Amino acid sequence: MNETKYVIGIDYGSDSVRSVIVDALNGTEISSSVFYYPRWQKGQYCEPAKNQFRQHPLDYVEGLEHTIKDCIKKAGGEKIAKLIKGIAVDTTGSTPVAVDKTGTPLALTPGFGENPHAMFVLWKDHTAVKEAAQINEHATKFDTNYLKYIGGIYSSEWFWAKLLRTLRTDEAVRNACVSWVEHCDWIPFLLTGGTDATEIKRNRCAAGHKALWAEEFDGLPPNEFFSSLDPILDGFRENLFTETYTSNEPAGIISAEWATRLGLNNDVVIGVGAFDAHMGAVGGQIEPYHLCKIMGTSTCDILVAPNEDINHKMVAGICGQVDGSVIPGTMGLEAGQSAFGDTYAWFKNVISWPLNLLNESSLVDSETAIALKEEIESKIISNLSNAADALGDEDYAELAVDWLNGRRTPDANQELKGSIAGLSLASDAPRIFRALAAATCFGAKSIVDRFIEQGVPVKGIIGIGGVAKKSPYIMQMMADVLEMPIRIHKFEHTCALGAAMFAATAAGIYNTVEDAMQAMGTGFEKTYEPNLAKQELYRNHYERYKALGAFTEQHLKTIH
C-alpha cells in the first residue's frame, strides 16, 4: 500500500469529542481537533444530586462538524480531504436515546428540544437503579439465563434499564419513542443519511455488552421476558434489532449532504461504531490475556482471548463477554471502575473550594481571581502526588474505598458509596489523596483477581487514557499493587487511533483489524515495573481495603 490514504477516527468522550486524521500506512497523526460540548459545559439537563446526566444531540452534531473541518484545515485543506477514505466512531456507553421512526433523536424534533428524557442518557446516569434491580430479580424467573453473557448482573448504566425508566417517567417521550439507539450506532446512521430507524446497523459491542443480545438467544431475549417485566415494554423488542455487526464492517457510504457539509469526497466509507474502550483497546495494540485499562473519568478494562480458550466459560460479575466486540473472531471481555479520574477530580474540588470565594473577595479583582484559581487548580493533583509519594510507608493509617460513583466491577452495584477510614488529626490532604489513589488501584486489583479466579489469566497491563499518560505516581502505585508491569501506549489519543484502525479496515485498506493494528500501531512510550520492596505493604493494605469494602457495603444495607 504505497498510495497515500488517510482515515478519520472520532472519539466521543464524556466532556468532549476528538477527531484525528491518521495516515493509514503507518498510524501517524496528521492533525487532531477537540470540541467541548457547550451545553454539557454549562451543566444543562443534568442533576448530579439525582445522578441524572443527559447530553443534547446538538452537542454531538456540532462537535462532529467542527472537529472534522478543523482537522482538515490544520492538515492542509482540500488536498488532504480528497485522500480521506474512511471514518469510524467510538462513543461512551451505554449512552442511548429515544428516536422516532426516521431514527431522529426526539430532542431534535418539535416539542422535545429542552426535554432531558428526549436526550442521550449518558453512561454515568444512574437514575435507573430501581429498573436494573427489577431486571436482575425478574431474570431469575426464567429457565434461560438471559444475564449469563453480561456477568450475571444488569446495571443501571445500561440499555434496558435506561429505556424502562425513560418510558415510565415521561409519557410524551413514551408515545413518541419508536426505537432506542446507542450513541455509537446513531452517528454512523447520521453520517450515512439514514432516514429509517429499522435500518440502523447495530454494533455487536454495544448490543452484546449492554443490551442482552446473544447468538444463543437468536438476538435479544424474547418479548415475553420484557412484557412480563413491565407491560410498557410489550412489543418494544420488535422495534429494535436482531442482527448485529462487528466494527470492521462498513455501515455505509457518507451521504451527499454530509460529504458537502464536511468537504469530503462522496465515496468515504463510514464504519460500524463501537464503545470507546473497545476501539481504544485496539488502538492500544491489545494482545490476548493482556488487560487494556482505559483510564479516564472511569476505567474500562478490556481483555481479549481466543474463543476456543473461553469455550463455555462464564466470568461472573463483569460487564460481559461478547464474540467480536473488540476483534472479530475473538472473545472480548469487559470490566471497569465507575470512578477513577473522577475520584481525584472530586477530591481536588473539595480541597479547592475556598478558591471559589476569591471572586467574592475585595482583595483581588475578578480577572486576577480567575487566573489565580486556574493556576492553583492546574497544579493540585501533581503537587498532591509529589507530597503523597514523599510520605513514609510506615505512616499509612488512612484507607479508602473507591465506590464514589457506585461499583461497576466486580459485581455491579450502583447504589454503593465510597468511604474513608483511619482519619486522625494528622490526616492532611496528601495522606487522604494517597488513600484515594490506593483505593482506585485496589479496585483495579479486584478486577484482575476476578478474572484470575474465574480461570482467565491476566499476563500484563496496557495503560491508555489521560490518567495513564499524565499520572506517574498513580501508575507506579498500580504496578506495585497489581505486581505486574504496565505498558503505557505512545499515541496521545488512543481511542481515536483505534477508531481510525477500524475505519481503515471498513474502507478495505486492510483485510483485518489485526493487519491494521500491526501497520498503524505506534508502540509504547514507557513501562512501569512493580517495586518488589512494596509487595508486602500493598498486599496487607489490599486485605484492609477488602474488609472496609465489606463493612461499607453491609452498613449501607443497614441504613437503607
Side-chain angles (χ1 to χ4, degrees):
M1 186 184 72
N2 296 319
E3 178 189 354
T4 301
K5 296 178 180 178
Y6 296 141
V7 289
I8 296 177
I10 304 172
D11 171 37
Y12 279 94
S14 298
D15 303 317
S16 62
V17 55
R18 182 179 298 277
S19 293
V20 296
I21 297 178
V22 174
D23 188 330
L25 177 64
N26 53 27
T28 299
E29 179 183 309
I30 306 304
S31 65
S32 69
S33 178
V34 65
F35 177 89
Y36 291 91
Y37 310 134
R39 297 160 189 82
W40 174 260
Q41 292 293 104
K42 296 175 184 176
Q44 291 181 310
Y45 317 118
C46 298
E47 295 185 51
K50 296 182 179 179
N51 288 314
Q52 176 178 303
F53 297 97
R54 309 295 163 87
Q55 291 184 327
H56 201 291
L58 285 177
D59 275 354
Y60 298 158
V61 177
E62 291 166 5
L64 175 70
E65 183 169 4
H66 173 88
T67 55
I68 292 179
K69 284 182 174 180
D70 193 39
C71 276
I72 292 171
K73 181 180 178 181
K74 289 177 178 176
E78 186 178 349
K79 63 180 182 180
I80 297 296
K82 293 188 179 301
L83 298 174
I84 293 170
K85 304 300 180 182
I87 297 174
V89 176
D90 72 66
T91 75
T92 66
S94 179
T95 302
V97 70
V99 299
D100 65 13
K101 65 180 180 180
T102 69
T104 302
L106 294 187
L108 297 180
T109 64
F112 291 101
E114 298 298 316
N115 185 337
H117 304 301
M119 299 173 189
F120 285 89
V121 185
L122 190 64
W123 66 269
K124 67 193 283 184
D125 187 298
H126 292 162
T127 53
V129 167
K130 173 184 174 182
E131 284 72 19
Q134 289 173 340
I135 290 171
N136 286 316
E137 191 278 331
H138 185 67
T140 64
K141 302 174 183 177
F142 291 80
D143 293 335
T144 300
N145 180 7
Y146 292 111
L147 306 185
K148 65 190 293 186
Y149 292 105
I150 52 93
I153 302 173
Y154 206 77
S155 168
S156 63
E157 293 184 350
W158 297 350
F159 187 91
W160 284 103
K162 290 176 172 178
L163 171 60
L164 181 54
R165 185 183 186 277
T166 299
L167 296 182
R168 285 172 169 175
T169 303
D170 194 305
E171 183 179 3
V173 170
R174 179 170 72 246
N175 292 335
C177 177
V178 171
S179 194
W180 190 242
V181 182
E182 286 284 358
H183 182 192
C184 50
D185 290 328
W186 181 67
I187 296 294
F189 178 75
L190 175 73
L191 286 171
T192 55
T195 58
D196 183 346
T198 64
E199 296 180 358
I200 298 174
K201 286 192 172 180
R202 312 294 186 129
N203 73 84
R204 177 78 55 84
C205 171
H209 284 286
K210 313 300 181 188
L212 301 178
W213 181 93
E215 289 182 295
E216 180 184 328
F217 310 149
D218 295 322
L220 300 168
N223 182 63
E224 179 193 359
F225 178 83
F226 300 109
S227 63
S228 57
L229 170 63
D230 190 322
I232 207 170
L233 291 173
D234 189 19
F236 209 93
R237 178 190 186 277
E238 306 311 313
N239 296 340
L240 294 175
F241 56 94
T242 301
E243 298 299 319
T244 63
Y245 302 84
T246 52
S247 298
N248 60 319
E249 301 179 79
I253 304 298
I254 194 169
S255 69
E257 176 190 350
W258 273 98
T260 300
R261 196 165 167 176
L262 299 174
L264 298 173
N265 290 342
N266 59 11
D267 60 351
V268 174
V269 175
I270 308 299
V272 169
F275 288 145
D276 47 6
H278 301 72
M279 284 193 171
V282 169
Q285 296 171 263
I286 193 169
E287 304 170 33
Y289 299 115
H290 283 70
L291 191 67
C292 185
K293 292 186 68 65
I294 297 86
M295 290 177 267
T297 55
S298 66
T299 76
C300 281
D301 301 350
I302 304 295
L303 186 144
V304 295
N307 284 332
E308 58 270 23
D309 287 5
I310 297 296
N311 198 5
H312 297 294
K313 188 182 300 177
M314 294 288 115
V315 181
I318 64 171
C319 304
Q321 53 193 79
V322 181
D323 183 5
S325 66
V326 183
I327 298 174
T330 302
M331 187 65 69
L333 299 93
E334 177 191 348
Q337 294 163 266
S338 292
F340 195 77
D342 268 351
T343 300
Y344 317 133
W346 165 79
F347 187 58
K348 182 186 78 171
N349 290 337
V350 170
I351 64 175
S352 63
W353 178 82
L355 295 176
N356 296 323
L357 301 180
L358 285 174
N359 283 331
E360 302 173 15
S361 171
S362 60
L363 299 177
V364 293
D365 60 78
S366 60
E367 186 174 330
T368 302
I370 292 171
L372 184 61
K373 183 175 184 289
E374 290 177 350
E375 171 71 12
I376 295 174
E377 285 190 335
S378 68
K379 296 179 179 179
I380 285 178
I381 296 299
S382 61
N383 288 342
L384 280 171
S385 297
N386 293 335
D389 196 29
L391 294 172
D393 290 340
E394 68 282 354
D395 181 14
Y396 209 139
E398 296 80 15
L399 184 69
V401 172
D402 57 316
W403 300 333
L404 274 74
N405 197 25
R407 183 178 62 209
R408 180 180 294 162
T409 314
D411 304 322
N413 186 340
Q414 303 308 153
E415 293 186 287
L416 293 177
K417 306 296 181 186
S419 59
I420 304 176
L423 298 176
S424 72
L425 294 177
S427 298
D428 56 11
R431 285 174 168 79
I432 296 173
F433 178 76
R434 177 178 60 180
L436 292 169
T440 60
C441 294
F442 293 144
K445 180 169 173 56
S446 69
I447 292 171
V448 170
D449 285 357
R450 175 58 60 93
F451 278 119
I452 294 171
E453 290 164 3
Q454 300 278 311
V456 178
V458 178
K459 297 180 179 179
I461 308 295
I462 296 171
I464 70 173
V467 178
K469 300 282 281 187
K470 300 174 184 177
S471 302
Y473 170 71
I474 293 166
M475 288 302 95
Q476 184 59 57
M477 181 185 285
M478 183 167 290
D480 296 344
V481 168
L482 297 182
E483 301 179 21
M484 292 182 186
I486 302 177
R487 290 179 292 161
I488 308 301
H489 201 267
K490 186 183 297 183
F491 202 87
E492 184 71 22
H493 317 301
T494 320
C495 291
L497 175 61
M501 291 175 178
F502 278 101
T505 310
I509 298 172
Y510 295 103
N511 292 326
T512 67
V513 175
E514 292 93 331
D515 291 343
M517 287 173 63
Q518 183 173 359
M520 298 171 67
T522 58
F524 300 88
E525 65 182 15
K526 185 171 185 176
T527 298
Y528 292 93
E529 296 287 348
N531 182 352
L532 297 182
K534 290 183 176 287
Q535 190 176 83
E536 183 178 357
L537 171 77
Y538 283 123
R539 286 182 178 180
N540 290 336
H541 283 303
Y542 180 53
E543 293 304 316
R544 294 175 61 214
Y545 165 85
K546 290 193 291 184
L548 179 58
F551 174 82
T552 301
E553 190 164 3
Q554 183 58 44
H555 180 64
L556 282 173
K557 288 180 181 177
T558 302
I559 64 176
H560 285 298

